[in-house]
Amino acid sequence: MSSMKKVSIGVLSTALAFTMTACGSSTETSSTSKSSEKPAAETKAPTTDKKVTIEYWHTYSDAEEKLLVEEIKPLFEKENPGIELKLTRMPYENLKQQVITSVSGDAAPDLMRMDIVWVPEFANMGALLEVSKMDGYKEMKPNLFETPVATTYLKTKKGEGYYGLPVNTNTKVAIYNKAILNEIGKKEVPKTMQELEEYAKAAKAKGKKGSITIGGNYPWAMIPYFYSLGGKFTSDDYTKVEGVLNGPESVKALETIVRWNKEGLISPPILGGEPGTWDGMKNNDYMMIDDGPWFYSLLMAEKDSKFKPLEDTVRGLIPAGDGGGKSVVGGEDLVIFASSKHPKEAWTFAKWMLGEAPQKIMAKVGLIPTNKKAAADPKVMETPFIKEFVEQMKTTVARTPIPQFGEMDSIISLAFEKSIRGEMKPQDALNEAAKQIEAVLKK
């Protein structure tokens, strides 16, 4: 998942294994459901004498797949006896190319759990079904978090629509080293970017290697700071870059980050330096990092580690600046391929997966529900680190849901890097980036 670029190479492979990659084969076993909760009746497909089999490609981790096989599959099939769910676990390496090949060869599955940044691109290819035309979509949409829904949106000359359902989501919150906060005499986390800067200066004065830890110069890493400080990539309808990415608010936001770096307030990972974000936090080198829920779920599993994430850190929302306290949305969308031979049954499953019961089941392993009611359920909130992530979801930003996002990501990353390294002034770097992106959008 592109949302984890910032983790160091060693940790990246581990984190990806937990959040989305797989190295196993297809799994089609089932067992008795452990859940007594039932989705709404309208998600059921008509019962027929002959079962229809729909195939679902996914990239769930071991723990996530266990729930999928042992609870999700049997519960769905019990509620929808005319449909059999075939589960196929896919390795994430080279997966995008494999999906492209399967689409061109008419060998795509019925459904797939797809990285959110891929959805507009595949929708633009004509490979995905527009679910906003499906029965029950309009009634479902208000029950879901707005920003994850936005990742399924596509606007073209032919019209606009939604091409998937956000099956799970994630975001990043601010994570502080408790020992360093104590050392600088702070009992509460900073609420504003100005306060964060003050904390960072105090930590620097104590000789810390890093204070504000931005994990890289690419959008996933930079959005919480760039957007919170008032910057934006595009207009709200994602159609205009010129005058927005290089507008006065965005330039000021980048100038602030550049100044922080010059003053030694930003940790080395922003330009690929060491120690990495997790090591810097574990070694008491870095005052603050931002990260997703996997930071806790993975590090809590390290039984022999002296670093105890729940005890040794304090979580907070991203501090607010001129743009508010914004973070970036990650996760996966559940899409139906246009080539599906059973689109009605595939939609039945997709809609069912967004119900409260399935969303609560998958939340057991730290996947944040996109269903608002499921996310607010007291049982979901019992996960010791989940509260702040659910709260942060209210102010997240999508990484521009357009087919050309891959090119846009690279252009913006380079502009940020040139500015931070001092090779170009922020205004000039963003002017150049805006011009290049506008050209890409006109292709």
Side-chain angles (χ1 to χ4, degrees):
M1 178 168 72
S2 56
S3 61
M4 298 194 68
K5 287 182 182 176
K6 69 185 211 46
V7 187
S8 61
I9 297 300
V11 172
L12 177 60
S13 59
T14 305
L16 286 174
F18 178 84
T19 57
M20 62 184 300
T21 63
C23 55
S25 57
S26 303
T27 307
E28 300 177 39
T29 59
S30 65
S31 64
T32 303
S33 170
K34 298 178 182 178
S35 174
S36 60
E37 297 179 271
K38 296 182 179 181
E42 69 268 19
T43 64
K44 296 182 181 180
T47 303
T48 60
D49 294 334
K50 185 178 180 181
K51 284 189 176 183
V52 170
T53 299
I54 54 174
E55 184 174 13
Y56 178 31
W57 282 10
H58 67 87
T59 52
Y60 285 116
S61 69
D62 288 344
E64 294 161 355
E65 186 186 36
K66 181 177 174 63
L67 289 180
L68 186 70
V69 171
E70 296 182 359
E71 299 193 41
I72 292 293
K73 174 179 166 69
L75 181 58
F76 171 73
E77 291 178 346
K78 180 181 179 181
E79 294 294 322
N80 298 272
I83 306 175
E84 180 180 1
L85 184 62
K86 178 182 178 182
L87 305 173
T88 303
R89 184 174 174 176
M90 304 295 290
Y92 194 72
E93 185 177 1
N94 298 320
L95 178 57
K96 187 176 183 180
Q97 184 56 50
Q98 189 169 350
V99 177
I100 292 173
T101 300
S102 70
V103 168
S104 62
D106 196 25
D110 296 283
L111 306 104
M112 179 181 175
R113 178 177 178 255
M114 180 178 284
D115 191 309
I116 59 172
V117 296
W118 297 357
V119 174
E121 183 177 352
F122 278 98
N124 195 51
M125 293 178 190
L128 305 181
L129 198 67
E130 183 185 338
V131 301
S132 46
K133 292 182 177 180
M134 303 297 282
D135 179 51
Y137 179 84
K138 290 182 179 179
E139 293 75 17
M140 173 188 294
K141 186 182 174 187
N143 299 325
L144 308 177
F145 283 118
E146 183 177 350
T147 305
V149 169
T151 67
T152 68
Y153 173 81
L154 178 67
K155 183 176 182 180
T156 67
K157 294 179 180 178
K158 297 180 180 180
E160 58 184 319
Y162 295 84
Y163 290 81
L165 295 175
V167 69
N168 58 264
T169 190
N170 61 59
T171 188
K172 301 190 294 181
V173 300
I175 301 172
Y176 300 86
N177 184 291
K178 186 181 291 186
I180 295 179
L181 289 185
N182 290 337
E183 194 172 347
I184 63 175
K186 303 294 184 180
K187 295 182 179 180
E188 296 184 355
V189 299
K191 302 296 192 298
T192 67
M193 284 290 172
Q194 183 177 348
E195 287 181 353
L196 177 63
E197 182 176 331
E198 293 171 359
Y199 279 39
K201 290 178 179 178
K204 182 188 176 186
K206 293 291 185 179
K208 300 303 174 184
K209 294 182 181 178
S211 300
I212 303 171
T213 307
I214 304 176
N217 55 273
Y218 39 82
W220 170 259
M222 293 282 286
I223 280 176
Y225 307 90
F226 186 70
Y227 269 70
S228 294
L229 288 167
K232 292 180 68 175
F233 293 164
T234 71
S235 57
D236 291 339
D237 63 357
Y238 312 117
T239 61
K240 182 182 179 182
V241 177
E242 188 69 49
V244 182
L245 176 62
N246 59 339
E249 295 85 0
S250 294
V251 172
K252 181 181 176 183
L254 185 53
E255 285 176 343
T256 299
I257 295 170
V258 169
R259 176 176 61 79
W260 285 351
N261 190 59
K262 286 181 178 179
E263 294 177 359
L265 304 182
I266 295 184
S267 308
I270 193 169
L271 293 175
E274 296 292 338
T277 55
W278 289 15
D279 287 339
M281 177 62 65
K282 292 166 71 174
N283 297 336
N284 295 330
D285 290 327
Y286 298 161
M287 178 194 75
M288 172 262 196
I289 68 172
D290 63 84
D291 219 327
W294 49 82
F295 173 85
Y296 289 95
S297 52
L298 287 178
L299 293 181
M300 286 167 63
E302 295 182 353
K303 296 180 180 179
D304 297 330
S305 175
K306 294 181 180 180
F307 180 79
K308 306 299 179 185
L310 287 178
E311 292 83 358
D312 296 337
T313 68
V314 182
R315 295 173 302 285
L317 302 182
I318 298 296
D322 291 344
K326 302 290 179 61
S327 192
V328 60
V329 70
E332 285 78 29
D333 294 329
L334 185 52
V335 300
I336 301 172
F337 286 96
S339 60
S340 171
K341 304 299 189 296
H342 308 290
K344 185 176 181 180
E345 290 79 6
W347 172 242
T348 295
F349 174 68
K351 189 164 56 170
W352 183 89
M353 277 294 284
L354 272 291
E356 285 187 58
Q359 291 272 297
K360 290 176 186 177
I361 290 172
M362 298 310 296
K364 294 177 184 179
V365 286
L367 293 178
I368 299 176
T370 53
N371 181 303
K372 294 176 184 177
K373 289 184 178 179
D377 186 87
K379 290 184 178 179
V380 173
M381 289 297 182
E382 286 176 2
T383 303
F385 54 83
I386 208 73
K387 179 181 178 181
E388 289 81 6
F389 292 99
V390 173
E391 181 66 23
Q392 188 72 72
M393 284 303 306
K394 298 176 182 177
T395 57
T396 51
V397 174
R399 284 165 289 166
T400 317
I402 59 173
Q404 305 92 335
F405 177 73
E407 293 176 85
M408 181 178 180
D409 185 291
S410 298
I411 293 170
I412 292 175
S413 298
L414 185 58
F416 285 159
E417 181 178 359
K418 287 181 177 179
S419 298
I420 295 166
R421 291 189 184 279
E423 296 173 1
M424 293 184 73
K425 293 182 178 180
Q427 180 74 74
D428 295 337
L430 294 179
N431 283 342
E432 182 178 83
K435 182 178 180 180
Q436 293 173 351
I437 295 171
E438 288 284 1
V440 168
L441 296 180
K442 292 177 181 178
K443 288 182 180 179

